[in-house]
Amino acid sequence: EATTQAEQLSEAAAKLEQARQKHRHDKMHLKAAELRASEAESELEEARATYTVSAADHDRLVAQLQDAASKLENAEAEAAEQAYTLEQKDDELAELREQLKAARASAQAVDQSASDMRQYIAEKEEQLQEVSKTFSAR
């Protein structure tokens, strides 16, 4: 049973590490999405600032604004999706931490039980030796 507990503990630790790596990876994607959103927002502000030029540039600037707004919308949607994914990964990490904690507690209980059993066996062997001496003395 101690071997099974150790295997469960090892498996839980491996899952936790895997989830941590995925979490770091997802954070990186979120930062990239936030950067793209920031860049798109800057493009949008730049396009708005140049909007005051002549009427001849009006159509081009409208298209620029629409493109920048679309990029911003896409980047914001991507950032929201990444944030949701990170939230899910945080929940998974918390669950794995709880499983690891439970596995550790279980392994500790098994260790304590084995220690108690060894103590009990030692006491019984001692009693057996004393009984054996008593019979030998007769």
Side-chain angles (χ1 to χ4, degrees):
E1 189 182 345
T3 303
T4 303
Q5 292 295 328
E7 288 171 353
Q8 287 175 346
L9 188 61
S10 176
E11 186 176 314
K15 283 183 181 177
L16 180 61
E17 181 55 30
Q18 207 174 30
R20 282 183 180 146
Q21 288 176 1
K22 177 73 173 128
H23 180 70
R24 282 192 293 272
H25 181 76
D26 289 344
K27 268 189 173 177
M28 181 184 68
H29 281 292
L30 177 61
K31 286 198 185 293
E34 287 171 345
L35 180 63
R36 286 192 298 277
S38 175
E39 289 170 354
E41 202 166 57
S42 294
E43 284 181 31
L44 186 60
E45 288 305 317
E46 187 179 312
R48 283 190 179 128
T50 58
Y51 190 71
T52 55
V53 296
S54 70
D57 292 336
H58 180 265
D59 289 342
R60 183 182 56 81
L61 290 173
V62 166
Q64 260 187 337
L65 275 172
Q66 287 173 341
D67 186 51
S70 176
K71 285 179 182 174
L72 177 60
E73 202 173 281
N74 290 340
E76 285 175 341
E78 190 178 331
E81 190 177 310
Q82 291 294 330
Y84 177 74
T85 300
L86 276 176
E87 196 174 299
Q88 286 179 317
K89 294 304 171 191
D90 283 342
D91 291 347
E92 287 176 24
L93 272 174
E95 188 178 323
L96 285 170
R97 283 189 187 107
E98 287 304 312
Q99 288 176 6
L100 185 58
K101 197 163 128 184
R104 283 185 178 141
S106 180
Q108 198 172 17
V110 168
D111 286 347
Q112 183 60 49
S113 177
S115 178
D116 292 348
M117 189 55 74
R118 283 191 291 276
Q119 178 69 32
Y120 175 78
I121 289 169
E123 289 171 7
K124 292 301 173 189
E125 284 175 345
E126 199 175 296
Q127 289 174 2
L128 183 60
Q129 284 180 349
E130 287 183 29
V131 169
S132 188
K133 285 180 193 173
T134 305
F135 279 113
S136 297
R138 289 185 179 181

